[in-house]
Amino acid sequence: MDLLLILTYAAICIAIFKLFNIPLNKWTVPTAVLGGVVMIGALIFTMNYNHPYSEVARSYFVSVPVVPVVSGKVIDVPVKGNEVLQEGDVLFRIDPAPFQYRLQSLKAQQVAARGDLFRINELIKRNFGTRREQEAALARVGDLQAQIDNAQFELDNTVVRAPSKGFVTHVSLRRGMMATRLPLRPSMVFIPQEGQYFAAWMRQNSLLRLVAGDEAEVAFDGIPGKVFKGRVKSVITVIAEGQVQPSGTLVSYTGSPPPGRVPVIIEITDPAFAQYSAQMPGGAYGQAAIYSKHFEHIGTMRKILLRMAAWMNYIFPFH
């Protein structure tokens, strides 16, 4: 946007010099240059502070790594990529045979344990058994019941289902592959259908003007020539550059760390965006501007520049 202001001022100066036949000499040229430095510098300073702009803005979405509860060989993958699913729809199935065998084994052991418990109870009635033997038999029956419940839980989870409404993207799982319950190796990536979050990364020199509820505007690179209205939903109060996690390493000075930018969540409220929202992919890139209550007439200039930037992106797709 700063470049647009400079180019606009240069074009105006050229037009004035041409229309009024102003000679180019040591007085006129320095006057135009110095006047531009003062005027544009003051305008940029006032505008950037009171109506911050970010050329780095993006829509974010939550992805859920699908990690099965049990490990095993995949026997069926009925899901298709980017197909809308309901909660509980089958994503893939793991071979249930090993888990069925274990469940049958535990149930057989429980039948024998219940028989032992019955016999011990009968012996106690005849004063031949001991309470210790009875408690051990009861513990055995209870332990086997817990193992049976766990085995049934694992058997039920050989069928992996959708956790909510959404879709699976990049379905690369195939029949015959091994699905493991390692958290670092998900079998699929599930995208919940809960909407996207548009975040603009603002410079810290405008931190005092980032207030929830202020008017905002958004321009997407994928929708050139269009600017959508919105509002500041929240200002995230922490940034990644300052985080400290528990470790065995002390915090030390390692040079000049980057200052980092403040993430601002913007809610797009423009009704015109509804027809484009379904076409915008998660992670879509764009620009955003926030308009505070200070120097509102300067905010009008920011709006004009944002629309010029949107049209520049339309004319020059790689802008």
Side-chain angles (χ1 to χ4, degrees), residues 44-96:
I44 290 176
F45 174 80
T46 306
M47 185 168 53
N48 285 348
Y49 178 72
N50 293 285
H51 307 285
Y53 163 80
S54 175
E55 76 287 358
V56 183
R58 189 182 299 276
S59 62
Y60 293 87
F61 60 94
V62 176
S63 62
V64 179
V66 179
V67 180
V69 176
V70 296
S71 300
K73 185 175 71 173
V74 177
I75 60 173
D76 186 26
V77 187
V79 70
K80 296 180 180 179
N82 302 317
E83 184 180 72
V84 178
L85 303 171
Q86 301 298 323
E87 182 177 354
D89 286 351
V90 177
L91 300 180
F92 61 92
R93 293 183 176 89
I94 295 174
D95 188 0

Side-chain angles (χ1 to χ4, degrees), residues 69-70 99 102-103 106 143-157 181:
V69 176
V70 296
F99 305 96
R102 174 168 172 74
L103 182 61
L106 291 171
D143 179 63
L144 286 172
Q145 183 59 51
Q147 293 185 55
I148 288 172
D149 293 341
N150 184 68
Q152 184 65 56
F153 173 76
E154 291 181 342
L155 178 61
D156 294 340
N157 280 277
R181 56 182 181 179

Side-chain angles (χ1 to χ4, degrees), residues 179-233:
T180 62
R181 56 182 181 179
L182 296 175
L184 299 179
R185 190 181 177 184
S187 300
M188 291 180 175
V189 177
F190 184 83
I191 310 298
Q193 199 171 58
E194 60 180 22
Q196 301 178 13
Y197 309 92
F198 189 82
W201 298 87
M202 297 292 177
R203 296 181 178 87
Q204 294 188 31
N205 56 5
S206 300
L207 190 60
L208 298 179
R209 294 294 184 259
L210 303 179
V211 180
D214 278 351
E215 179 188 358
E217 286 188 330
V218 174
F220 288 94
D221 287 4
I223 314 176
K226 300 289 185 180
V227 177
F228 304 99
K229 294 184 179 298
R231 67 178 184 87
V232 177
K233 186 176 182 180

Side-chain angles (χ1 to χ4, degrees), residues 3 14 17 24 29 32 48 52 57 59 62-63 77 94 127 133 135 138 143 145 149-150 155 233 277 290 315 319:
L3 180 60
I14 293 173
F17 273 79
L24 300 178
V29 174
N48 285 348
S59 62
V62 176
S63 62
V77 187
I94 295 174
N127 296 322
E133 292 175 336
E135 290 173 356
L138 281 171
D143 179 63
Q145 183 59 51
D149 293 341
N150 184 68
L155 178 61
K233 186 176 182 180
S277 59
I290 297 174
I315 299 171
H319 172 68

